[in-house]
Amino acid sequence: MRGYAKGAAQGRGVASSAPMTADRVALVRRPSPQLADGLVTHIKRSSAVDSELALRQWHGYVDALLATGFVVREVEPVPDCPDGVFIEDPLLVFGDLAVVAAPAAPSRMPEVAGARKAATVHGLRVVELAGAPGGRRSPEGTIALDGGDVLRVGDTAYVGVGGRTTQGGATAMAHHLGGVGLTVVPVPVSKTLHLKSQVTALPDGTVVGYEPLVDDPSFWPSFLAVPEPEGAHVVVLDPHTVLMSDAAPASAAIFRDRGLAVAAVPMSEFIKLEGSVTCLSVRQHDFD
């Protein structure tokens, strides 16, 4: 696994080797040359993905993490996996616990080994989602789960069920997270690929979403509607800063009015594949 030093220049490769001792660690995986062949489910493949532009945007995303003090570690690439850049889907981290997910899409299974290795190298306690009681099946059925369906707010991990994630996957996640004091709450998902395609959360726990794409806004006890689809996708960088796409300036203004600093980065090529800022990294501090 490679490490980026703070201040790495955009567009370059690994700047230096950084020790894995910081509290704020992010795991990333660079885009595959076959990114344009990535899966799409709820949107039409309306325009071609520019792989070179996507790589530049990925470097810009990494630089935004570095700028707020993260140690960024690069998971070994999977050039034959078009969706491999979406590292959040095969791996979730909760404090020192890493849960290796169980992708439903067969084409994404080869992404899992490198994610598992990265968690092990980082010194995390690694468990397999499919290692919950029942193996690949639970009493509720097949165990399948993408990390993009898991949203933590406080001591609750909401798990989207209905797309790439099954009820069996949610049950298996509850088995693993119960040991670290987290409660799993299943959330029906039908309008989007993942739960975090619909909603994410601000540092104070307020859930944000673009209402036309949210299955049930009333489900969330504290819900803030935003005016743009990409405004629903934020990454918490610290208690006062969020990272988001530059395609949602009106939403960014709302967040700034709430006292937050906003780092906005281009994400156009990943949006074409139903991706967002949440998909491109696994951040250990989110779950501390």
Side-chain angles (χ1 to χ4, degrees):
M1 207 164 42
R2 300 167 172 176
Y4 286 81
K6 186 175 181 178
Q10 180 175 339
R12 297 201 312 207
V14 175
S16 69
S17 179
M20 295 290 292
T21 56
D23 291 332
R24 291 157 52 78
V25 177
L27 303 179
V28 299
R29 179 183 262 154
R30 69 179 54 230
S32 162
Q34 300 180 38
L35 178 67
D37 296 326
L39 299 172
V40 292
T41 304
H42 286 267
I43 64 174
K44 293 182 179 180
R45 200 181 296 272
S46 58
S47 56
V49 174
D50 184 330
S51 295
E52 292 184 1
L53 176 57
L55 182 59
R56 293 196 297 272
Q57 291 180 347
W58 180 82
H59 277 291
Y61 178 92
V62 168
D63 283 346
L65 294 173
L66 292 167
T68 50
F70 278 86
V71 172
V72 177
R73 294 300 249 178
E74 185 177 350
V75 178
E76 55 189 49
V78 280
D80 294 331
C81 294
D83 293 294
V85 68
F86 303 124
I87 185 62
E88 177 189 51
D89 287 330
L91 185 69
L92 301 105
V93 178
F94 304 85
D96 66 350
L97 175 69
V99 181
V100 178
S107 65
R108 302 203 63 183
M109 287 301 297
E111 301 172 27
V112 171
R116 181 189 296 109
K117 179 181 177 181
T120 302
V121 170
H122 183 32
L124 298 175
R125 179 166 57 94
V126 179
V127 297
E128 306 284 331
L129 186 76
R136 289 297 303 181
R137 296 186 64 85
S138 76
E140 289 78 12
T142 301
I143 292 176
L145 181 142
D146 279 0
D149 273 317
V150 181
L151 172 66
R152 179 176 174 181
V153 182
D155 292 332
T156 301
Y158 295 96
V159 178
V161 174
R164 297 276 179 84
T165 295
T166 62
Q167 181 59 51
T171 299
M173 183 62 74
H175 167 79
H176 289 304
L177 296 191
V180 294
L182 297 179
T183 299
V184 166
V185 175
V187 184
V189 169
S190 63
K191 289 187 176 182
T192 58
L193 174 63
H194 290 137
L195 176 62
K196 285 200 284 192
S197 302
Q198 298 188 11
V199 294
T200 55
L202 299 178
D204 66 359
T206 299
V207 171
V208 297
Y210 178 63
E211 282 197 85
L213 294 180
V214 179
D215 279 290
D216 182 8
S218 68
F219 176 89
W220 306 100
S222 178
F223 180 78
L224 174 65
V226 293
E228 300 135 320
E230 293 310 310
H233 310 140
V234 301
V235 166
V236 174
L237 297 178
D238 62 40
H240 309 289
T241 310
V242 295
L243 173 67
M244 61 186 296
S245 167
D246 65 357
S251 301
I254 292 172
F255 301 152
R256 292 188 180 101
D257 287 344
R258 294 173 66 94
L260 293 171
V262 175
V265 294
M267 288 289 296
S268 62
E269 303 315 291
F270 302 104
I271 291 170
K272 293 174 183 177
L273 296 169
E274 295 177 286
S276 74
V277 290
T278 67
C279 311
L280 298 184
S281 63
V282 176
R283 300 158 304 280
Q284 186 174 16
H285 87 117
D286 281 356
F287 307 103
D288 293 342

PDB file of all heavy atoms in Angstrom, residues 35-57:
ATOM      1  N   LEU A  35     -12.415   2.519 -16.602  1.00  0.00           N
ATOM      2  CA  LEU A  35     -13.459   3.185 -15.825  1.00  0.00           C
ATOM      3  C   LEU A  35     -14.734   3.411 -16.632  1.00  0.00           C
ATOM      4  O   LEU A  35     -15.847   3.267 -16.108  1.00  0.00           O
ATOM      5  CB  LEU A  35     -12.931   4.530 -15.303  1.00  0.00           C
ATOM      6  CG  LEU A  35     -13.920   5.384 -14.505  1.00  0.00           C
ATOM      7  CD1 LEU A  35     -14.268   4.722 -13.178  1.00  0.00           C
ATOM      8  CD2 LEU A  35     -13.339   6.786 -14.269  1.00  0.00           C
ATOM      9  N   ALA A  36     -14.602   3.752 -17.898  1.00  0.00           N
ATOM     10  CA  ALA A  36     -15.774   4.058 -18.728  1.00  0.00           C
ATOM     11  C   ALA A  36     -16.744   2.891 -18.842  1.00  0.00           C
ATOM     12  O   ALA A  36     -17.920   3.086 -19.169  1.00  0.00           O
ATOM     13  CB  ALA A  36     -15.325   4.498 -20.126  1.00  0.00           C
ATOM     14  N   ASP A  37     -16.287   1.678 -18.536  1.00  0.00           N
ATOM     15  CA  ASP A  37     -17.149   0.495 -18.607  1.00  0.00           C
ATOM     16  C   ASP A  37     -17.812   0.178 -17.272  1.00  0.00           C
ATOM     17  O   ASP A  37     -18.420  -0.881 -17.121  1.00  0.00           O
ATOM     18  CB  ASP A  37     -16.334  -0.719 -19.056  1.00  0.00           C
ATOM     19  CG  ASP A  37     -15.787  -0.563 -20.461  1.00  0.00           C
ATOM     20  OD1 ASP A  37     -16.478   0.063 -21.294  1.00  0.00           O
ATOM     21  OD2 ASP A  37     -14.663  -1.043 -20.719  1.00  0.00           O
ATOM     22  N   GLY A  38     -17.724   1.096 -16.309  1.00  0.00           N
ATOM     23  CA  GLY A  38     -18.310   0.863 -15.001  1.00  0.00           C
ATOM     24  C   GLY A  38     -19.817   0.666 -15.065  1.00  0.00           C
ATOM     25  O   GLY A  38     -20.489   1.096 -16.006  1.00  0.00           O
ATOM     26  N   LEU A  39     -20.357   0.022 -14.033  1.00  0.00           N
ATOM     27  CA  LEU A  39     -21.782  -0.281 -13.980  1.00  0.00           C
ATOM     28  C   LEU A  39     -22.614   0.974 -13.790  1.00  0.00           C
ATOM     29  O   LEU A  39     -22.216   1.894 -13.067  1.00  0.00           O
ATOM     30  CB  LEU A  39     -22.066  -1.245 -12.821  1.00  0.00           C
ATOM     31  CG  LEU A  39     -21.384  -2.615 -12.867  1.00  0.00           C
ATOM     32  CD1 LEU A  39     -21.614  -3.349 -11.554  1.00  0.00           C
ATOM     33  CD2 LEU A  39     -21.896  -3.434 -14.040  1.00  0.00           C
ATOM     34  N   VAL A  40     -23.762   1.033 -14.422  1.00  0.00           N
ATOM     35  CA  VAL A  40     -24.774   2.046 -14.134  1.00  0.00           C
ATOM     36  C   VAL A  40     -26.111   1.326 -13.987  1.00  0.00           C
ATOM     37  O   VAL A  40     -26.380   0.352 -14.691  1.00  0.00           O
ATOM     38  CB  VAL A  40     -24.869   3.137 -15.222  1.00  0.00           C
ATOM     39  CG1 VAL A  40     -23.619   4.003 -15.235  1.00  0.00           C
ATOM     40  CG2 VAL A  40     -25.115   2.536 -16.599  1.00  0.00           C
ATOM     41  N   THR A  41     -26.925   1.812 -13.054  1.00  0.00           N
ATOM     42  CA  THR A  41     -28.171   1.115 -12.732  1.00  0.00           C
ATOM     43  C   THR A  41     -29.392   2.012 -12.842  1.00  0.00           C
ATOM     44  O   THR A  41     -30.373   1.668 -13.491  1.00  0.00           O
ATOM     45  CB  THR A  41     -28.102   0.533 -11.306  1.00  0.00           C
ATOM     46  OG1 THR A  41     -26.953  -0.323 -11.199  1.00  0.00           O
ATOM     47  CG2 THR A  41     -29.351  -0.277 -10.986  1.00  0.00           C
ATOM     48  N   HIS A  42     -29.331   3.184 -12.216  1.00  0.00           N
ATOM     49  CA  HIS A  42     -30.493   4.063 -12.139  1.00  0.00           C
ATOM     50  C   HIS A  42     -30.405   5.254 -13.088  1.00  0.00           C
ATOM     51  O   HIS A  42     -31.293   6.094 -13.089  1.00  0.00           O
ATOM     52  CB  HIS A  42     -30.695   4.557 -10.708  1.00  0.00           C
ATOM     53  CG  HIS A  42     -31.238   3.502  -9.791  1.00  0.00           C
ATOM     54  ND1 HIS A  42     -32.585   3.347  -9.546  1.00  0.00           N
ATOM     55  CD2 HIS A  42     -30.612   2.538  -9.077  1.00  0.00           C
ATOM     56  CE1 HIS A  42     -32.767   2.332  -8.714  1.00  0.00           C
ATOM     57  NE2 HIS A  42     -31.589   1.830  -8.417  1.00  0.00           N
ATOM     58  N   ILE A  43     -29.333   5.354 -13.845  1.00  0.00           N
ATOM     59  CA  ILE A  43     -29.199   6.436 -14.813  1.00  0.00           C
ATOM     60  C   ILE A  43     -28.826   5.841 -16.162  1.00  0.00           C
ATOM     61  O   ILE A  43     -28.357   4.700 -16.246  1.00  0.00           O
ATOM     62  CB  ILE A  43     -28.132   7.471 -14.383  1.00  0.00           C
ATOM     63  CG1 ILE A  43     -26.735   6.816 -14.329  1.00  0.00           C
ATOM     64  CG2 ILE A  43     -28.494   8.098 -13.046  1.00  0.00           C
ATOM     65  CD1 ILE A  43     -25.612   7.792 -14.061  1.00  0.00           C
ATOM     66  N   LYS A  44     -29.045   6.608 -17.211  1.00  0.00           N
ATOM     67  CA  LYS A  44     -28.655   6.169 -18.542  1.00  0.00           C
ATOM     68  C   LYS A  44     -27.190   6.522 -18.770  1.00  0.00           C
ATOM     69  O   LYS A  44     -26.691   7.518 -18.279  1.00  0.00           O
ATOM     70  CB  LYS A  44     -29.527   6.850 -19.602  1.00  0.00           C
ATOM     71  CG  LYS A  44     -30.983   6.422 -19.575  1.00  0.00           C
ATOM     72  CD  LYS A  44     -31.771   7.098 -20.695  1.00  0.00           C
ATOM     73  CE  LYS A  44     -33.221   6.658 -20.683  1.00  0.00           C
ATOM     74  NZ  LYS A  44     -34.010   7.305 -21.766  1.00  0.00           N
ATOM     75  N   ARG A  45     -26.517   5.675 -19.521  1.00  0.00           N
ATOM     76  CA  ARG A  45     -25.137   5.964 -19.899  1.00  0.00           C
ATOM     77  C   ARG A  45     -25.185   6.997 -21.012  1.00  0.00           C
ATOM     78  O   ARG A  45     -25.107   6.692 -22.195  1.00  0.00           O
ATOM     79  CB  ARG A  45     -24.441   4.687 -20.361  1.00  0.00           C
ATOM     80  CG  ARG A  45     -22.924   4.754 -20.328  1.00  0.00           C
ATOM     81  CD  ARG A  45     -22.321   3.470 -20.832  1.00  0.00           C
ATOM     82  NE  ARG A  45     -22.637   2.328 -19.999  1.00  0.00           N
ATOM     83  CZ  ARG A  45     -21.916   1.950 -18.939  1.00  0.00           C
ATOM     84  NH1 ARG A  45     -20.852   2.636 -18.597  1.00  0.00           N
ATOM     85  NH2 ARG A  45     -22.277   0.895 -18.238  1.00  0.00           N
ATOM     86  N   SER A  46     -25.329   8.274 -20.591  1.00  0.00           N
ATOM     87  CA  SER A  46     -25.650   9.338 -21.541  1.00  0.00           C
ATOM     88  C   SER A  46     -24.431   9.948 -22.212  1.00  0.00           C
ATOM     89  O   SER A  46     -24.522  10.509 -23.284  1.00  0.00           O
ATOM     90  CB  SER A  46     -26.431  10.447 -20.826  1.00  0.00           C
ATOM     91  OG  SER A  46     -25.689  10.962 -19.747  1.00  0.00           O
ATOM     92  N   SER A  47     -23.284   9.879 -21.598  1.00  0.00           N
ATOM     93  CA  SER A  47     -22.089  10.478 -22.202  1.00  0.00           C
ATOM     94  C   SER A  47     -20.870   9.662 -21.811  1.00  0.00           C
ATOM     95  O   SER A  47     -20.843   9.011 -20.769  1.00  0.00           O
ATOM     96  CB  SER A  47     -21.926  11.931 -21.752  1.00  0.00           C
ATOM     97  OG  SER A  47     -21.877  12.023 -20.348  1.00  0.00           O
ATOM     98  N   ALA A  48     -19.873   9.719 -22.659  1.00  0.00           N
ATOM     99  CA  ALA A  48     -18.676   8.924 -22.431  1.00  0.00           C
ATOM    100  C   ALA A  48     -17.882   9.474 -21.254  1.00  0.00           C
ATOM    101  O   ALA A  48     -17.799  10.686 -21.037  1.00  0.00           O
ATOM    102  CB  ALA A  48     -17.817   8.933 -23.687  1.00  0.00           C
ATOM    103  N   VAL A  49     -17.311   8.556 -20.505  1.00  0.00           N
ATOM    104  CA  VAL A  49     -16.439   8.937 -19.402  1.00  0.00           C
ATOM    105  C   VAL A  49     -15.038   9.188 -19.952  1.00  0.00           C
ATOM    106  O   VAL A  49     -14.488   8.371 -20.694  1.00  0.00           O
ATOM    107  CB  VAL A  49     -16.396   7.828 -18.331  1.00  0.00           C
ATOM    108  CG1 VAL A  49     -15.367   8.152 -17.256  1.00  0.00           C
ATOM    109  CG2 VAL A  49     -17.771   7.618 -17.728  1.00  0.00           C
ATOM    110  N   ASP A  50     -14.460  10.322 -19.608  1.00  0.00           N
ATOM    111  CA  ASP A  50     -13.108  10.683 -20.009  1.00  0.00           C
ATOM    112  C   ASP A  50     -12.157  10.162 -18.933  1.00  0.00           C
ATOM    113  O   ASP A  50     -12.055  10.741 -17.846  1.00  0.00           O
ATOM    114  CB  ASP A  50     -13.006  12.205 -20.140  1.00  0.00           C
ATOM    115  CG  ASP A  50     -11.652  12.671 -20.663  1.00  0.00           C
ATOM    116  OD1 ASP A  50     -10.650  11.984 -20.396  1.00  0.00           O
ATOM    117  OD2 ASP A  50     -11.596  13.738 -21.295  1.00  0.00           O
ATOM    118  N   SER A  51     -11.465   9.067 -19.221  1.00  0.00           N
ATOM    119  CA  SER A  51     -10.627   8.426 -18.214  1.00  0.00           C
ATOM    120  C   SER A  51      -9.465   9.302 -17.775  1.00  0.00           C
ATOM    121  O   SER A  51      -9.081   9.293 -16.595  1.00  0.00           O
ATOM    122  CB  SER A  51     -10.097   7.089 -18.748  1.00  0.00           C
ATOM    123  OG  SER A  51     -11.156   6.179 -18.954  1.00  0.00           O
ATOM    124  N   GLU A  52      -8.902  10.076 -18.690  1.00  0.00           N
ATOM    125  CA  GLU A  52      -7.787  10.954 -18.319  1.00  0.00           C
ATOM    126  C   GLU A  52      -8.266  12.074 -17.411  1.00  0.00           C
ATOM    127  O   GLU A  52      -7.601  12.424 -16.424  1.00  0.00           O
ATOM    128  CB  GLU A  52      -7.120  11.517 -19.570  1.00  0.00           C
ATOM    129  CG  GLU A  52      -6.388  10.467 -20.394  1.00  0.00           C
ATOM    130  CD  GLU A  52      -5.653  11.076 -21.570  1.00  0.00           C
ATOM    131  OE1 GLU A  52      -5.693  12.326 -21.730  1.00  0.00           O
ATOM    132  OE2 GLU A  52      -5.034  10.307 -22.328  1.00  0.00           O
ATOM    133  N   LEU A  53      -9.434  12.638 -17.718  1.00  0.00           N
ATOM    134  CA  LEU A  53     -10.000  13.670 -16.857  1.00  0.00           C
ATOM    135  C   LEU A  53     -10.358  13.084 -15.493  1.00  0.00           C
ATOM    136  O   LEU A  53     -10.144  13.722 -14.457  1.00  0.00           O
ATOM    137  CB  LEU A  53     -11.233  14.289 -17.510  1.00  0.00           C
ATOM    138  CG  LEU A  53     -11.994  15.334 -16.683  1.00  0.00           C
ATOM    139  CD1 LEU A  53     -11.088  16.484 -16.268  1.00  0.00           C
ATOM    140  CD2 LEU A  53     -13.210  15.842 -17.464  1.00  0.00           C
ATOM    141  N   ALA A  54     -10.880  11.868 -15.497  1.00  0.00           N
ATOM    142  CA  ALA A  54     -11.225  11.218 -14.232  1.00  0.00           C
ATOM    143  C   ALA A  54      -9.999  11.063 -13.342  1.00  0.00           C
ATOM    144  O   ALA A  54     -10.074  11.277 -12.121  1.00  0.00           O
ATOM    145  CB  ALA A  54     -11.863   9.857 -14.497  1.00  0.00           C
ATOM    146  N   LEU A  55      -8.860  10.713 -13.930  1.00  0.00           N
ATOM    147  CA  LEU A  55      -7.641  10.565 -13.144  1.00  0.00           C
ATOM    148  C   LEU A  55      -7.218  11.907 -12.554  1.00  0.00           C
ATOM    149  O   LEU A  55      -6.821  11.982 -11.385  1.00  0.00           O
ATOM    150  CB  LEU A  55      -6.524   9.975 -14.000  1.00  0.00           C
ATOM    151  CG  LEU A  55      -5.194   9.731 -13.272  1.00  0.00           C
ATOM    152  CD1 LEU A  55      -5.373   8.774 -12.099  1.00  0.00           C
ATOM    153  CD2 LEU A  55      -4.143   9.194 -14.257  1.00  0.00           C
ATOM    154  N   ARG A  56      -7.340  12.978 -13.334  1.00  0.00           N
ATOM    155  CA  ARG A  56      -7.000  14.302 -12.798  1.00  0.00           C
ATOM    156  C   ARG A  56      -7.951  14.677 -11.665  1.00  0.00           C
ATOM    157  O   ARG A  56      -7.528  15.240 -10.646  1.00  0.00           O
ATOM    158  CB  ARG A  56      -7.040  15.351 -13.910  1.00  0.00           C
ATOM    159  CG  ARG A  56      -5.957  15.181 -14.970  1.00  0.00           C
ATOM    160  CD  ARG A  56      -5.789  16.434 -15.811  1.00  0.00           C
ATOM    161  NE  ARG A  56      -6.985  16.778 -16.576  1.00  0.00           N
ATOM    162  CZ  ARG A  56      -7.248  16.305 -17.789  1.00  0.00           C
ATOM    163  NH1 ARG A  56      -6.415  15.451 -18.374  1.00  0.00           N
ATOM    164  NH2 ARG A  56      -8.347  16.674 -18.438  1.00  0.00           N
ATOM    165  N   GLN A  57      -9.227  14.369 -11.832  1.00  0.00           N
ATOM    166  CA  GLN A  57     -10.188  14.679 -10.780  1.00  0.00           C
ATOM    167  C   GLN A  57      -9.902  13.845  -9.529  1.00  0.00           C
ATOM    168  O   GLN A  57     -10.047  14.346  -8.402  1.00  0.00           O
ATOM    169  CB  GLN A  57     -11.611  14.439 -11.280  1.00  0.00           C
ATOM    170  CG  GLN A  57     -12.043  15.443 -12.340  1.00  0.00           C
ATOM    171  CD  GLN A  57     -13.451  15.203 -12.848  1.00  0.00           C
ATOM    172  OE1 GLN A  57     -14.047  14.163 -12.609  1.00  0.00           O
ATOM    173  NE2 GLN A  57     -13.996  16.181 -13.567  1.00  0.00           N
TER     174      GLN A  57
END
